[in-house]
Amino acid sequence: SSDGVARPLWSYELDTESGARTPAAFSWSPGGTLSEVTPVATSDLKYAFLEVVEVFSVLHGADRLLRVVLDEGVSCCYTGEDTTVLKGIPSSLLGATLFLLAGTSDQHNSSGAYTVLTPGGVDATAYALDVMDPYNKHGGLYKAGFEDLGWEEVDAPDLRLEPPTVPNPDPSRSPYLLYVRCWTRTVPAYTSIEVPHGAGLLGALAIAPTSASR
């Protein structure tokens, strides 16, 4: 996994003549190669056991989630709906991992909660994205998301959901886009937090390692 981190590992050097096993250490890092810490003969057979731990993970009950890279023009916010994309993404969110709920918004019309876990020993930054309707143009439809979390709000005046293409837009008609608000907080390493949301959420959760956030 691109979100995984590898740790030093212990294995054994096998003496093919006597059958004796001598401990030998190996290490590996993402994007690197398996290296041997304790020098042994390269001709000897060795066994290596890899342990991979995710830096962070997100759950939403028993629902399936799709991970995508948060970038300009990424589809949001359900895997079964590709009619809107995110635009105007602030630089601090670019490259984060966006978690999309499987299915359609009609299949997720009740309140729920995400669970964010950080078992990989790295602090993570969580971002909660949610469509806003400050002038109540949609009858309160988009007022059931993350606004009550109490997290720090991200300055993202241009963050919005809009169709991938808008042929011949007519300014006199209803807007073709929905503005999105974003809130953030740090999730310390080796902890977990609950991120509740109201019914009818039109939004998503994104996570990035704090050390890599901009």
Side-chain angles (χ1 to χ4, degrees):
S1 167
S2 60
D3 297 331
V5 59
R7 299 172 173 174
L9 308 165
W10 284 99
S11 185
Y12 294 93
E13 172 195 359
L14 177 64
D15 188 321
T16 55
E17 293 184 1
S18 67
R21 297 194 301 173
T22 304
F26 297 83
S27 66
W28 178 83
S29 59
T33 57
L34 188 67
S35 61
E36 193 170 326
V37 178
T38 303
V40 294
T42 57
S43 60
D44 292 336
L45 179 65
K46 307 174 185 68
Y47 298 93
F49 302 91
L50 300 180
E51 177 189 9
V52 178
V53 179
E54 285 192 312
V55 171
F56 53 76
S57 186
V58 172
L59 306 174
H60 190 274
D63 296 321
R64 296 183 63 184
L65 293 164
L66 174 67
R67 302 182 187 205
V68 297
V69 176
L70 183 52
D71 205 351
E72 190 75 6
V74 68
S75 293
C76 187
C77 298
Y78 296 90
T79 62
E81 298 175 351
D82 57 1
T83 56
T84 54
V85 298
L86 280 169
K87 294 289 188 71
I89 300 172
S91 59
S92 58
L93 275 72
L94 291 174
T97 301
L98 183 67
F99 292 82
L100 304 179
L101 280 165
T104 64
S105 54
D106 292 339
Q107 297 171 318
H108 299 280
N109 54 10
S110 59
S111 59
Y114 291 88
T115 303
V116 180
L117 305 99
T118 55
V122 176
D123 292 350
T125 301
Y127 300 97
L129 294 82
D130 184 22
V131 165
M132 65 177 182
D133 182 17
Y135 303 107
N136 202 30
K137 292 183 177 180
H138 301 275
L141 180 63
Y142 302 124
K143 291 191 173 182
F146 296 119
E147 67 274 6
D148 296 327
L149 287 176
W151 294 8
E152 177 184 356
E153 187 160 3
V154 176
D155 183 23
D158 298 321
L159 186 59
R160 62 196 185 275
L161 275 178
E162 62 180 44
T165 59
V166 182
N168 303 318
D170 183 352
S172 66
R173 300 180 63 187
S174 298
Y176 288 92
L177 57 86
L178 293 167
Y179 281 98
V180 177
R181 296 173 71 182
C182 179
W183 295 266
T184 185
R185 66 155 289 178
T186 298
V187 186
Y190 303 118
T191 64
S192 64
I193 63 168
E194 294 289 319
V195 189
H197 62 80
L201 172 71
L202 185 54
L205 202 70
I207 307 291
T210 299
S211 58
S213 61
R214 296 179 294 276

